Amino acid sequence: MSVTRGINRLLRNVKKSVNISERQVLALAYQPNVNDFEPNGPRVVTDIPGPRSKQLIEQLDQIQNVGAVHFFCDYDNSHGNYLADVDGNVMLDLFTQISSVPLGYNHPALINAVSKPENLSTFVNRPALGVYPPADWVSRLQNTLVSVAPPGMNHVQTMACGTCSVEHGMKAVFMKFMSDARGGMPPSQEALESCIINKAPGSPSLSFLSFNNSFHGRTMGALACSHSKWLHKLDFPVPDWPIVRFPNLKYPLEENVVENRTEESKILEEVEDKIDEYNKKGQTVAGIIVEPVQCEGGDKFATPYFFQGLRDITNKRGMGFIIDEVQTGCGATGKFWAHEHFNLTDSPDIVSFSKKMLTGGFYKKVTFKPKEGHRIFNTWVGDPSKIALLEEVVKVIREDNLLDSVKVTGEYLMSGLFNMQSKYPGILSNTRGLGTLCAIDFNTTDNRDKAMADLRKKGVHTGACGPTSLRFRTTLLFKTKHVDVFMERFDDVLSQLNK
Ligand SMILES: Cc1ncc(COP(=O)(O)O)c(C=O)c1O
């Protein structure tokens, strides 16, 4: 009885939230095709942010900092690739909540998941998963995260957000590194006591190598490996860990093979030199962390040769190797994991994820599994309701062949961007991408920002990265027809900028 009442209430809420009849809710449950109920195009009726957004921003300012808020959204009326705001504007969304919406807004399969009786307790109760997991936890993990695990990795740990996934992945590397250093023996009593007061040997002087302009998150370890904006870093006492430049390659990659190879070889040498330097000064480098595409730093791509080189260096030196797929994972590149494009001869040790995966977490090789409980831990260690939603996401990706669809849309998007680049050579350059995870550079930051503002006036919401890049972070349901809607408006905006 209570379950039925709960379902009815959920159904009523769903009905209210998408403003459709109960019969339609049920119909949608069996017809998960987002394109059937998406708007045909953008609609702009006010400035963005409009008056209602401005009013809400003012109210929010009374209780928190609103410096990052663009506008308030109307999620009830957002559908598929179209994001609605509280002023009645509807925008084609090419930024998708900072790259974190896999199937668009209000996808019927996700609405259906919320209304399934067997999911009710999953949405209502949030357990301390590390201690009291629910009976279906193993099978749900197997249906979701394990079923899409990167090649060579079948152990997974859920977490809340991207940052804490990276942070705990780094801890797994440090623990393995020290366990190896002890020859697999248990820690000494002195180590157990000294770690409590942050002193050696229990708290060893180790470091992690990362790349300039990278972004891995905002807690202290992840922040020490992030080097993209002062806003993230200023005033925090992060450790002095080794930083190496990320390859500065020429695009298109396939037309600049020789020059790019020289640059990447040089950087791989710099990586080895930097490790030697830090090892010598007593800050032994335990691992390397890298993004498969350096996203926040400006969508910088490197080649498989570079990533294979990093894998080889870390293997040779007994260090851990983390590939941070928080922004690149879950299909946007046309493969489930971006690093699958690299054909690594040995998989990474840790792969962190979040955003489109709806849950945070990291994959690890079994050798990186901690020996004791509570070593990689927090109260929730994730959220089973996100796994219930991820179950549907994975199903839709498979059933609707979304990885293939992303490849088709990505090629179409890239060819449109190349056209724009040839039409406006004084403004645009460096079209690059994998799947729909694409970017293009402007000649100046001002022009990039003006183009984004003008696009928004035409109902297209985009995201920036690095000093002059526009990045594309669409849903996996972004099709060629959406590219057309974007390109028409992009052309208009560029022709105005070109005057
Ligand atoms: C590559 C990468 N790692 C980590 C993070 C941090 O994720 P979160 O913002 O969920 O903490 C981000 C966020 O943009 C990211 O792009």
Side-chain angles (χ1 to χ4, degrees):
M1 172 62 191
S2 59
V3 170
T4 314
R5 261 216 326 261
I7 290 293
N8 284 338
R9 192 180 318 128
L10 271 169
L11 214 53
R12 272 200 306 278
N13 286 344
V14 168
K15 205 174 80 178
K16 211 166 66 191
S17 75
V18 295
N19 199 19
I20 50 182
S21 75
E22 196 164 302
R23 197 169 48 78
Q24 280 171 304
V25 170
L26 290 169
L28 284 173
Y30 295 103
Q31 193 193 15
N33 184 354
V34 75
N35 293 322
D36 291 346
F37 71 110
E38 198 182 60
N40 288 328
R43 185 184 67 207
V44 179
V45 291
T46 70
D47 287 343
I48 305 172
R52 178 75 183 127
S53 259
K54 284 185 182 149
Q55 192 182 41
L56 287 166
I57 288 171
E58 232 175 85
Q59 287 171 12
L60 187 62
D61 191 39
Q62 305 304 310
I63 46 179
Q64 60 174 239
N65 182 290
V66 290
V69 177
H70 286 209
F71 48 83
F72 274 69
C73 298
D74 175 356
Y75 291 107
D76 289 350
N77 286 306
S78 300
H79 299 292
N81 292 284
Y82 286 89
L83 172 65
D85 76 359
V86 289
D87 288 284
N89 301 296
V90 176
M91 289 162 265
L92 180 67
D93 191 359
L94 278 73
F95 196 39
T96 60
Q97 313 291 323
I98 325 180
S99 192
S100 65
V101 183
L103 302 182
Y105 298 99
N106 289 309
H107 192 285
L110 300 189
I111 291 176
N112 190 27
V114 176
S115 58
K116 278 183 184 166
E118 65 269 30
N119 283 343
L120 187 60
S121 80
T122 305
F123 285 99
V124 171
N125 302 291
R126 188 170 186 186
L129 279 170
V131 196
Y132 312 109
D136 58 6
W137 187 233
V138 179
S139 63
R140 280 199 194 265
L141 286 181
Q142 274 163 346
N143 287 341
T144 54
L145 293 170
V146 175
S147 81
V148 296
M153 310 188 84
N154 54 10
H155 272 251
V156 69
Q157 173 66 60
T158 50
M159 279 288 153
C161 65
T163 297
C164 72
S165 306
V166 168
E167 189 82 18
H168 286 279
M170 291 172 67
K171 282 179 162 184
V173 167
F174 285 131
M175 282 194 286
K176 163 79 162 51
F177 191 85
M178 288 310 292
S179 170
D180 288 352
R182 289 190 287 265
M185 300 300 285
S188 64
Q189 189 58 31
E190 188 191 3
L192 297 182
E193 285 166 17
S194 57
C195 73
I196 303 294
I197 51 166
N198 308 347
K199 296 270 192 285
S203 187
S205 177
L206 299 178
S207 63
F208 233 90
L209 185 143
S210 55
F211 293 90
N212 206 7
N213 290 320
S214 56
F215 183 70
H216 297 290
R218 296 158 185 270
T219 50
M220 284 305 192
L223 191 62
C225 296
S226 295
H227 317 286
S228 58
K229 283 194 188 135
W230 68 261
L231 272 167
H232 306 147
K233 308 265 300 188
L234 182 72
D235 298 335
F236 306 133
V238 287
D240 161 30
W241 285 354
I243 307 165
V244 174
R245 299 172 312 106
F246 193 77
N248 192 17
L249 301 190
K250 291 215 161 92
Y251 305 106
L253 296 180
E254 56 282 7
E255 287 173 23
N256 296 280
V257 173
V258 176
E259 262 174 290
N260 287 343
R261 176 63 60 97
T262 307
E263 164 76 349
E264 290 187 329
S265 296
K266 211 157 101 197
I267 297 209
L268 290 171
E269 275 172 31
E270 286 175 28
V271 167
E272 298 246 35
D273 291 348
K274 197 56 93 176
I275 295 170
D276 288 339
E277 178 192 326
Y278 272 71
N279 286 353
K280 232 176 261 160
K281 65 177 181 175
Q283 285 176 271
T284 308
V285 190
I288 293 180
I289 183 164
V290 70
E291 295 160 81
V293 178
Q294 201 175 59
C295 291
E296 299 297 310
D299 265 21
K300 294 206 168 131
F301 286 72
T303 75
Y305 168 78
F306 178 67
F307 294 98
Q308 182 63 53
L310 295 178
R311 177 67 282 190
D312 291 345
I313 291 170
T314 46
N315 270 344
K316 181 178 73 185
R317 292 171 175 261
M319 293 162 55
F321 183 39
I322 302 184
I323 296 201
D324 180 2
E325 292 252 21
V326 164
Q327 189 154 163
T328 50
C330 199
T333 65
K335 291 191 188 278
F336 206 94
W337 302 103
H339 77 269
E340 289 180 73
H341 290 277
F342 304 153
N343 294 318
L344 296 177
T345 53
D346 179 25
S347 55
D349 298 313
I350 305 279
V351 170
S352 46
F353 56 82
S354 189
K355 293 198 186 261
K356 280 193 186 53
M357 293 295 285
L358 303 182
T359 173
F362 63 92
Y363 293 99
K364 57 184 177 299
K365 279 188 174 156
V366 64
T367 43
F368 285 74
K369 183 177 168 185
K371 292 193 177 82
E372 304 91 3
H374 291 273
R375 293 281 274 157
I376 298 289
F377 190 83
N378 57 44
T379 302
W380 284 325
V381 266
D383 180 347
S385 69
K386 301 300 172 200
I387 299 294
L389 294 174
L390 181 62
E391 211 161 351
E392 300 302 321
V393 170
V394 169
K395 226 187 278 171
V396 173
I397 289 176
R398 286 203 178 107
E399 284 170 5
D400 293 2
N401 290 321
L402 291 186
L403 297 186
D404 288 341
S405 158
V406 162
K407 282 181 209 147
V408 171
T409 310
E411 275 169 28
Y412 191 69
L413 175 58
M414 288 269 283
S415 85
L417 291 174
F418 275 120
N419 282 343
M420 289 297 139
Q421 188 177 305
S422 330
K423 194 165 173 188
Y424 303 102
I427 302 177
L428 297 177
S429 61
N430 291 335
T431 292
R432 57 201 182 273
L434 277 175
T436 50
L437 195 130
C438 299
I440 194 162
D441 287 348
F442 280 73
N443 56 340
T444 64
T445 307
D446 280 354
N447 273 348
R448 189 266 316 267
D449 295 349
K450 170 112 182 44
M452 288 176 62
D454 291 350
L455 278 167
R456 192 187 283 176
K457 285 183 194 150
K458 293 178 182 293
V460 177
H461 182 51
T462 54
C465 64
T468 57
S469 305
L470 181 70
R471 65 174 142 169
F472 296 84
R473 294 295 185 271
T474 68
T475 73
L476 303 177
L477 297 170
F478 201 74
K479 307 284 186 206
T480 54
K481 69 173 183 181
H482 301 110
V483 176
D484 289 339
V485 170
F486 164 72
M487 261 337 143
E488 190 191 324
R489 285 153 183 82
F490 197 37
D491 197 4
D492 280 355
V493 162
L494 292 166
S495 67
Q496 288 303 312
L497 264 188
N498 206 30
K499 276 184 181 159

